Amino acid sequence: GAQRVTLSDLAPLLPLLLRNAAANSVADRCAALELEWGGALPAMLLEPNSLDVILGSDVTAFVQART
């Protein structure tokens, strides 16, 4: 029932997000943006009241070895 959904992932995977949205007949409600957790947030996410819900799915962590 969401009016607008913003999907996020790393840049190479954004086309896949949009294809999946189209395959599920929700592409008209979806936008995709690059987001790397721990990095700078895109400007649209910093706007007041820009998000009602944040849902994490298939979230994994990659920890680099530090020397």
Side-chain angles (χ1 to χ4, degrees), residues 2-48:
Q3 296 295 316
R4 183 173 55 102
V5 176
T6 302
L7 308 167
S8 67
D9 211 323
L10 300 177
L13 297 172
L14 298 182
L16 178 61
L17 293 178
L18 295 174
R19 280 197 309 269
N20 285 338
N24 287 284
S25 302
V26 294
D28 59 326
R29 290 181 244 166
C30 294
L33 66 84
E34 181 178 13
L35 178 64
E36 182 175 347
W37 289 95
L41 290 174
M44 66 116 3
L45 297 181
L46 298 174
E47 296 174 13

